[in-house]
Amino acid sequence: MAKGMVRVPVREQDPKVRATNFEEVCLGYNQEEAMEEATRCLNCKNAKCIEGCPVSINIPAFVQEVKEGNIEEAYKIIGQSSALPAICGRVCPQESQCEGKCIRGIKGDPVSIGKLERFVADYALEHDIKPEGAKEQNGYKVAVIGSGPSGLTCAGDLAKMGYDVTVFEALHELGGVLVYGIPEFRLPKQKVVAKEIEKVKELGVKFETNVVIGKSTTIDQLIEEGFEAVFIGSGAGLPMFMGIPGENANEVFSANEYLTRSNLMKAFDSSYDTPIAAGKKVAVVGGGNVAMDAARTALRLGAEVHVVYRRSEAELPARVEEVYHAKEEGVIFDLLTNPKQINVDENGNVKSMTVIKMELGEPDASGRRRPVEIPGSEYDIDVDTVIMSLGTSPNPLISSTTKGLEVNRRKCIVAEEESGQTSKEGVYAGGDAVTGAATVILAMGAGKAGAKGIDEYLKNKEK
Ligand code: FAD
Ligand code: SF4
């Protein structure tokens, strides 16, 4: 391809080396590389990339600043729309969002918007560039439930508007899926997540950990105690299972539990004594990003890992980059294959999994071709650990303890997309708790909408 059509390559750890460690896979751009990549941006008047960004970052404006070497200015532009750019630069599915719309992508590679965002955000963290806070406080108290990307964004935006915000988090650490789900090798916890949360604290947001809303206290009690509005960003952390025989054996995990043990409870670090099945042969059932994370974690813990997925490669829901990285590292893909039962030995330990071959039939309601079993094609695969990664749903604890809060049949909180307004006055919601498992940037977009909704509600209440 002609010069200018191809993006500046990003440096990565060698696949053979990184398959044995938990350090970050992608090393990112340095300033010289970022400035060179930024020259590929055409600074379009009608910039399609902005339309593809759920929080509408002014992409051409920040990329032009990078091109000129004004990185602090670039950070300020991103900061107007996103409180977590070092995180988004690493985990957003840019290929289907901003980069998917970039005009450069028609005849060559789209501009590496995600890697440029990451470079700018990392520069801001390294140089401790502060976000711009509120000019004055308005005295209103708002409670935010959950410290994942939706809660952090809502809290940060409200603090910038002058609200007195307290985030209540059930776990002992802040960050939601960013800390307990996404592994260190994709999203470093201390170097990136903790530092970016620090910036939300610098805006004046207060955090209370180990508070489970629905148990320690309830939303109705928070309102009685003087919180004038509440945002629920409690995510969708309840794992689903297949319901096949043998699924309750000892070495069968949900991907959430497996990843939490590794990420939050540091099972991968030999100086911690958190137990985790460091199996020799692991099957991960499912084909999404969570399955890729579980597979790559098990691989790093020393296992031979098979991803067992019932459709073909084209239908894998995981990001292309994650599948590519998993393959490069040595994860084996057993496609068009579905588990039938998990077989246990006399001690109740997993000894194998019976699977059946599948073929693709007519498209189903999702538009993807339906997988159909091929009769008589069952066989056993020799595994000692199974990780189920079949999706998650919201925990009903909050909805069942809050009067007048409507949920749908999937237990998701019903909320307006534009404002996050729920069926209960003064209570707003967004992120995975409303949509079911989705993405970081969609959760952030919902947090922004919730902050705007709460601001309008409280201003109107004042009148
Ligand atoms: P969460 O991040 O789930 O945060 C919810 C928070 O609320 C948690 O901290 C939880 O402890 C807290 N909470 C729950 N109930 C209560 C309660 N009763 N009281 C107080 N606190 C409570 N998305 C991407 O865009 N890119 C990726 O690469 C990607 N990879 C992923 C990998 C994994 C393993 C997983 C699990 C998800 C991944 N996602 C990815 C999805 C993304 O992380 C989520 O969509 C996003 O984190 C949702 O944000 P949230 O704020 O709605 O909820
Ligand atoms: Fe630059 Fe691509 Fe956005 Fe145009 S669409 S402004 S080339 S990033």
Side-chain angles (χ1 to χ4, degrees), residues 221-287:
Q221 280 169 311
L222 288 176
I223 294 170
E224 272 168 35
E225 282 163 22
F227 285 98
E228 280 142 298
V230 178
F231 176 83
I232 308 170
S234 51
L238 207 60
M240 296 178 194
F241 286 91
M242 291 186 81
I244 56 172
E247 225 176 356
N248 53 4
N250 279 338
E251 300 87 352
V252 181
F253 293 85
S254 70
N256 262 36
E257 181 187 344
Y258 191 81
L259 288 166
T260 303
R261 280 173 188 253
S262 176
N263 294 329
L264 196 62
M265 296 152 80
K266 306 278 182 280
F268 69 84
D269 184 336
S270 54
S271 56
Y272 285 72
D273 54 11
T274 306
I276 192 166
K280 290 277 165 284
K281 220 168 165 189
V282 174
V284 177
V285 181

Side-chain angles (χ1 to χ4, degrees), residues 92-104:
C92 268
Q94 291 103 6
E95 65 280 7
S96 59
Q97 297 179 346
C98 52
E99 293 179 14
K101 299 251 178 181
C102 172
I103 202 86
R104 271 285 192 196

Side-chain angles (χ1 to χ4, degrees), residues 91-93 145-151 168-171 173 175-178 180-183 186 211-214 233-236 256 259 289-290 293 319 322 397-398 430-433 437-441 443:
V91 303
C92 268
I145 302 170
S147 64
S150 65
F168 296 95
E169 167 54 51
L171 295 175
E173 272 204 41
V177 170
L178 305 174
Y180 73 74
I182 305 179
R186 282 212 294 129
V211 182
V212 183
I213 303 298
S234 51
N256 262 36
L259 288 166
N289 285 319
V290 182
D293 283 344
R319 288 181 68 191
E322 301 310 324
L397 181 63
I398 289 181
D432 284 6
T439 63
V440 170
I441 195 74

Side-chain angles (χ1 to χ4, degrees), residues 43-122:
N43 196 10
C44 310
K45 275 213 168 65
N46 177 17
K48 295 283 178 206
C49 53
I50 304 179
E51 286 172 25
C53 173
V55 295
S56 305
I57 294 175
N58 190 342
I59 294 165
F62 101 74
V63 175
Q64 292 313 300
E65 296 295 352
V66 175
K67 187 170 134 189
E68 302 300 326
N70 302 328
I71 314 303
E72 192 162 339
E73 278 311 308
Y75 176 70
K76 284 189 187 150
I77 294 167
I78 298 176
Q80 287 161 9
S81 313
S82 170
L84 309 171
I87 293 165
C88 289
R90 286 170 166 83
V91 303
C92 268
Q94 291 103 6
E95 65 280 7
S96 59
Q97 297 179 346
C98 52
E99 293 179 14
K101 299 251 178 181
C102 172
I103 202 86
R104 271 285 192 196
I106 296 175
K107 280 202 181 146
D109 290 340
V111 174
S112 271
I113 302 167
K115 300 288 184 284
L116 291 176
E117 180 187 27
R118 169 187 162 143
F119 165 72
V120 171
D122 283 2

Side-chain angles (χ1 to χ4, degrees), residues 1 37 52 98 118 150 164 179 238 288 303 323 341 383 386:
M1 256 192 267
E37 178 62 14
C98 52
R118 169 187 162 143
S150 65
D164 175 359
V179 291
L238 207 60
V323 177
Q341 72 171 46
V383 288
V386 178

